[in-house]
Amino acid sequence: MKSARKARRQSGQLALVWRRMRRNRLAIIGMAIILAILLISFSAPYIAPYDPLKQNFRKLLQPVSAEHWFGCDQVGRDIFSRVLYGSAITLRIGVLAIIIGLTCGTCLGMLGGYYGGLVDVGVVYLTDILLAFPGLLLALAVIAVLGSGITSVTLACSFSSIPQFIRVTRGMVLSEKEKDYVTAARSIGENNNAIMFRYILPNCIPALIVLLTLRVAIIILIASGLSFLGFGAQPPSPEWGAMLSEGRMYLQTAPHVAIFPGVAISILVLAFNLLGDGLRDALDPRMKI
Amino acid sequence: MLLYTTRRILLLIPTLIGITLVSFLILQLVPGDPARTIAGLEADEETVQSIRTQLGLDKPIFVQYGRFIRNTLTGNFGRSIRTQNEVVAEVWPRFINTLELALASTIIAVFLGIPLGTLAATHHNSPLDYCTMAAVLLGISTPTFWSGLIMILIFSVCLGWFPPGGAHGFLSLVLPSLTLAAPSAAIIARMTRSSMLEVLKQDFIKTARAKGQTESRVIFEHALQNALIPTVTIVGLQFGYLMGGAILVETIFTLPGLGRLLVDSILTRDYPVVQAGVIFFAGSFVLTNLGVDLLYNFLDPRISYEKR
């Protein structure tokens, strides 16, 4: 009972955001879509009607039918099953990349903003350099070093998010560290690490959640773009970007092969954008993220 | 103003050095022996050694970086491993093509985004506003490599109005630049709408209306001019992102641009071309941002950078 009350008090700001966001219908739709796709990604092996890798040469490029809802691809694989399985790949890249980007970016931004001086100069310089590369280009530079593959794509995507997290965290820390509660914490003898991560960080969390949601949308676009270019998941993997790339060849005769994976990417990205916009409006509509 | 311009240009130097450092590191950080990676697994020791000498990989790292900076400043990026041509001769014409594409897309995005955003703001909370916002959401959520394919499907496969790809003059640039412009148009429209809504709430708009000015004069002469200031920054940033987005669009429409060259060079491990491509992309992005910053300062004299 007591711990529950404590937990509620700690999440006071988040609870307020949630109450405001609940009234935003679009944000709730976005969240519902994300949850649904998450559920699909876990249950794909049970709900997919066909094996995503099984080829069937009697069904090459078969159009949409009751038997195959999204039709079949160039080697007769069921596209609907492949799209279902592909959600797990895309979500895994998105989640891993955002966790790495969030951790590195937040720590660097925290250090720069809190300690100031030369540390801050270094952090700001690093951010400036990383921001000199448009997202996809930075990701490609990482790919050029690491080579192709899902791991490289994940790292490349996380890299392209680091500067945004540094910037937001650093800005928040700069204004937070002047506040009275930080002085109070210091006067009771808390050390720097505790002040940074137990006092200041919780106050940055709402802004970071908004940035995180909007960045996942961009990461999914970059990751599927990299796979489309041939750097990410390799065939026969049912990654959406890779499927789209394969489907390009059959655009004239069987456009459905390329259309459905693209729709899947758009829906997932749209959901994250809706949720992110809703969160931002619930938090502070004037927030510049 | 002059002081600000000079300072802003001087501040560019460390960023440019950073860009060359990143580009330099691409080759250095390749796991294992870069010369061996480039030559391929079957290559004999002699080939590997010749690549090593050609790229200067046998020298100490600081010497290598010094040489890299000097070569970058003189525009000498060495020779392409794949074609043995001068890298600059390979990169420059491709760069011009990408620049053309990005410019065309920027123009489309501006002429689509600003009127849409203004309309949405002046008809706030009307069906027109909702439709625009829905279009904006679709625009930023649809990957260009998918919308490009849909464009090809509709306008060249079904209707036959435009060629599906390749570089054959003006007509072949229409679909790629429309595809590339869509997300930017959406972002510009959203920015214009929100800053227009902000401006329309201001007192001087009430004053303008109170003294009996026509609604179109209020909107175009009083409101829009002020609302466009933040939009300028976005447009500048978008130009840079459009250069980056060109990487995907050039692949779909088989345009011989810098993006496509970069992708091909990464796939064939042609590192000198990759390094030059990265510098060209990032350099043009940074220079555009500088231009926008200066323009911004010029447009909005209220912002005094000297005070900061």
Side-chain angles (χ1 to χ4, degrees):
Chain A
M1 182 65 199
K2 210 173 178 183
S3 65
R5 203 180 302 151
K6 197 177 161 200
R8 202 179 310 147
R9 196 167 56 229
Q10 269 177 356
S11 62
Q13 203 178 356
L14 288 181
L16 182 74
V17 168
W18 167 243
R19 274 203 301 278
R20 280 198 218 145
M21 205 192 74
R22 235 176 8 191
R23 269 178 271 145
N24 185 336
R25 210 176 299 150
L26 285 176
I28 295 299
I29 294 177
M31 199 161 77
I33 297 175
I34 295 170
L35 288 178
I37 294 181
L38 194 69
L39 198 68
I40 288 174
S41 72
F42 279 110
S43 52
Y46 309 105
I47 55 173
Y50 297 89
D51 180 344
L53 301 179
K54 185 144 186 296
Q55 307 183 352
N56 185 340
F57 289 96
R58 268 173 303 172
K59 290 181 173 173
L60 299 188
L61 299 176
Q62 212 176 65
V64 177
S65 63
E67 208 181 333
H68 296 282
W69 290 0
F70 291 179
C72 293
D73 68 2
Q74 67 280 7
V75 285
R77 292 172 299 202
D78 178 53
I79 295 177
F80 181 61
S81 305
R82 286 174 67 74
V83 169
L84 293 187
Y85 271 90
S87 62
I89 304 174
T90 305
L91 280 177
R92 196 164 54 223
I93 296 177
V95 169
L96 280 178
I98 203 74
I99 289 175
I100 300 171
L102 173 77
T103 316
C104 297
T106 307
C107 287
L108 284 170
M110 185 70 84
L111 291 174
Y114 187 77
Y115 286 111
L118 272 182
V119 183
D120 195 32
V121 171
V123 168
V124 171
Y125 185 46
L126 179 73
T127 318
D128 278 351
I129 294 176
L130 290 179
L131 284 177
F133 297 85
L136 188 61
L137 183 66
L138 192 60
L140 270 181
V142 176
I143 295 282
V145 172
L146 296 178
S148 305
I150 290 191
T151 319
S152 312
V153 166
T154 312
L155 281 175
C157 290
S158 66
F159 232 77
S160 65
S161 284
I162 290 178
Q164 274 80 13
F165 281 108
I166 296 182
R167 220 164 48 167
V168 168
T169 314
R170 183 176 165 274
M172 296 284 299
V173 173
L174 280 180
S175 66
E176 289 292 320
K177 76 170 180 184
E178 303 299 331
K179 291 189 179 164
D180 285 342
Y181 73 90
V182 175
T183 322
R186 201 171 286 134
S187 68
I188 59 167
E190 294 278 19
N191 63 18
N192 285 333
N193 281 341
I195 294 178
M196 276 192 282
F197 292 101
R198 291 217 343 257
Y199 289 82
I200 298 181
L201 186 62
N203 288 300
C204 305
I205 285 177
L208 287 176
I209 290 180
V210 174
L211 179 63
L212 183 143
T213 320
L214 293 174
R215 281 311 296 186
V216 173
I218 294 174
I219 283 179
I220 291 170
L221 282 178
I222 296 181
S224 49
L226 288 172
S227 287
F228 175 79
L229 291 173
F231 295 118
Q234 302 298 325
S237 164
E239 203 278 337
W240 294 340
M243 287 170 70
L244 223 163
S245 174
E246 289 171 50
R248 262 172 77 199
M249 319 295 165
Y250 312 97
L251 200 60
Q252 296 202 13
T253 44
H256 64 270
V257 182
I259 285 178
F260 288 111
V263 172
I265 299 172
S266 300
I267 290 177
L268 188 55
V269 174
L270 181 72
F272 275 105
N273 277 326
L274 287 175
L275 180 61
D277 282 350
L279 280 170
R280 180 179 42 204
D281 290 346
L283 209 64
D284 175 8
R286 276 166 306 175
M287 192 191 282
K288 292 274 186 287
I289 288 181
Chain B
M1 179 73 197
L2 189 69
L3 186 74
Y4 173 71
T5 312
T6 336
R7 218 178 65 189
R8 189 66 184 70
I9 291 174
L10 285 178
L11 276 176
L12 196 67
I13 295 171
T15 314
L16 288 175
I17 293 177
I19 292 173
T20 58
L21 190 65
V22 170
S23 162
F24 174 71
L25 284 177
I26 288 177
L27 183 57
Q28 300 297 323
L29 291 178
V30 171
D33 178 1
R36 166 62 67 186
T37 316
I38 292 168
L41 286 175
E42 302 88 43
D44 52 73
E45 195 48 44
E46 208 173 307
T47 326
V48 175
Q49 190 57 43
S50 82
I51 288 178
R52 200 171 287 143
T53 337
Q54 191 192 335
L55 298 177
L57 288 169
D58 43 1
K59 308 253 171 29
I61 189 158
F62 291 107
V63 179
Q64 284 187 46
Y65 185 54
R67 215 177 75 154
F68 186 76
I69 294 256
R70 201 183 58 220
N71 286 346
T72 306
L73 286 177
T74 52
N76 171 18
F77 291 93
R79 286 180 181 280
S80 154
I81 310 240
R82 191 164 39 138
T83 60
Q84 289 300 323
N85 290 334
E86 284 274 345
V87 170
V88 176
E90 297 248 328
V91 169
W92 184 251
R94 303 288 202 107
F95 178 65
I96 298 297
N97 285 347
T98 302
L99 211 61
E100 257 176 33
L101 176 63
L103 261 179
S105 306
T106 311
I107 294 171
I108 295 175
V110 166
F111 280 93
L112 221 67
I114 293 181
L116 272 179
T118 313
L119 270 177
T122 51
H123 297 77
H124 190 39
N125 283 338
S126 72
L128 186 72
D129 186 21
Y130 296 139
C131 287
T132 313
M133 290 323 280
V136 162
L137 269 170
L138 275 182
I140 57 172
S141 303
T142 312
T144 46
F145 50 88
W146 185 69
S147 52
L149 289 183
I150 302 296
M151 293 272 218
I152 294 181
L153 192 62
I154 297 175
F155 294 107
S156 57
V157 175
C158 295
L159 297 173
W161 290 354
F162 301 102
H168 317 287
F170 176 75
L171 272 186
S172 62
L173 209 60
V174 174
L175 290 186
S177 41
L178 273 175
T179 307
L180 189 53
S184 294
I187 291 170
I188 292 173
R190 183 154 75 170
M191 189 73 212
T192 311
R193 174 180 176 272
S194 69
S195 73
M196 192 75 180
L197 285 175
E198 198 70 25
V199 171
L200 285 175
K201 271 188 258 166
Q202 306 274 324
D203 283 339
F204 69 89
I205 296 295
K206 269 186 216 144
T207 314
R209 283 198 180 126
K211 65 180 189 180
Q213 297 226 304
T214 57
E215 188 62 21
S216 66
R217 276 196 75 174
V218 171
I219 285 164
F220 291 107
E221 283 185 25
H222 296 267
L224 193 59
Q225 282 188 12
N226 285 288
L228 283 187
I229 293 169
T231 311
V232 171
T233 329
I234 293 287
V235 173
L237 274 177
Q238 286 309 311
F239 181 75
Y241 286 111
L242 287 174
M243 295 283 296
I247 298 171
L248 287 165
V249 172
E250 283 165 6
T251 300
I252 306 162
F253 292 96
T254 54
L255 286 174
L258 186 55
R260 189 60 228 168
L261 180 68
L262 189 67
V263 170
D264 288 340
S265 306
I266 293 176
L267 285 171
T268 52
R269 302 195 168 279
D270 192 349
Y271 286 104
V273 180
V274 174
Q275 289 180 314
V278 166
I279 289 185
F280 267 82
F281 264 123
S284 55
F285 186 39
V286 172
L287 287 178
T288 331
N289 283 350
L290 170 77
V292 170
D293 260 17
L294 297 180
L295 185 66
Y296 197 81
N297 193 25
F298 176 74
L299 282 181
D300 193 358
R302 282 175 303 183
I303 304 166
S304 164
Y305 286 91
E306 275 79 11
K307 273 187 196 155
R308 281 193 195 166

